[in-house]
Amino acid sequence: CANTCDGVDWRRAFAVHLWYGSSYEASVSEGFARYLQAFKGSRDDDGNAFQAAYATAPQPHYAPAAMEADRRCDSEVDFRLRDTCFHLLRLYRKQTHRLQRTLDPATHTPYVLDYQLSWPLFCVLQSLHYEHMPASLVARLHCNFAAQLMSLDMWPWAVMVALHIPQASLRESLVKEIIT
């Protein structure tokens, strides 16, 4: 049997499972579940490999294909580095998926201090009522992006970002720090 997922990136492997590995009535969640099984493989009740993994893991575009290094999340739980789009699909399938994993800059760029996608994505997700990220991490996201903008001498934009901080005292002190 030929492996149609051999040599293709994870998005194409997911598409194969969504379009051709499921019935035409299947939901995105069902296609995603099939893709998860394809890249993780499956095990029997004794823990033995039942079906070997045959699809590419959902790594960020900049990561080498062989990279499977573990990273630590803020909660100190191990997780493998995965692409932002993969996390968005997880969030679609399971609305309680951790937002801090989705918004981690390492999911879309090798520059871990680059929040230029993470912050606007957080704003969009927040407008869609995905608000289950701890307040301390929300404040850190705002502060980190404001600091990035300040380092680029874009202080008016940094003020705008700082004004999104929910905690009034932190918001006030950061805006004062930026404009002085």
Side-chain angles (χ1 to χ4, degrees):
C1 180
N3 179 4
T4 57
C5 296
D6 189 32
V8 299
D9 67 357
W10 81 267
R11 293 173 193 207
R12 287 182 178 89
F14 166 63
V16 165
H17 287 86
L18 178 64
W19 297 329
Y20 306 113
S22 309
S23 73
Y24 71 93
E25 298 171 332
S27 67
V28 172
S29 292
E30 291 174 54
F32 187 67
R34 288 183 183 273
Y35 167 71
L36 284 176
Q37 186 178 19
F39 94 83
K40 288 183 176 181
S42 58
R43 303 201 173 276
D44 61 15
D45 294 334
D46 297 327
N48 300 320
F50 179 69
Q51 178 184 359
Y54 61 88
T56 306
Q59 298 168 336
H61 66 89
Y62 67 87
M67 183 181 138
E68 278 291 321
D70 283 343
R71 289 181 29 88
R72 292 251 179 220
C73 162
D74 289 323
S75 64
E76 294 301 314
V77 175
D78 285 334
F79 74 99
R80 303 223 184 256
L81 185 60
R82 302 293 184 218
D83 187 75
T84 302
C85 293
F86 175 80
H87 285 292
L88 289 172
L89 284 166
R90 278 246 166 159
L91 193 59
Y92 172 77
R93 186 167 182 234
K94 181 182 172 190
Q95 293 185 345
T96 58
H97 180 66
R98 292 185 177 176
L99 286 178
Q100 56 266 38
R101 290 185 180 182
T102 307
L103 300 170
D104 185 345
T107 63
H108 63 274
T109 180
Y111 308 106
V112 295
L113 298 177
D114 186 355
Y115 289 87
Q116 67 180 336
L117 177 64
S118 300
W119 188 82
L121 180 57
F122 171 75
C123 292
V124 169
L125 291 172
Q126 191 176 35
S127 73
L128 296 171
H129 305 290
Y130 288 97
E131 299 173 335
H132 55 276
M133 194 157 100
S136 61
L137 296 178
V138 171
R140 186 182 331 164
L141 178 67
H142 293 305
C143 291
N144 287 344
F145 188 48
Q148 180 181 354
L149 291 168
M150 285 295 297
S151 71
L152 297 170
D153 202 28
M154 300 175 76
W155 66 268
W157 291 105
V159 169
M160 188 271 302
V161 168
L163 290 172
H164 284 77
I165 297 173
Q167 298 92 342
S169 60
L170 179 59
R171 178 177 57 240
E172 183 180 344
S173 67
L174 185 58
V175 169
K176 284 180 181 178
E177 183 181 321
I178 291 170
I179 60 175
T180 56

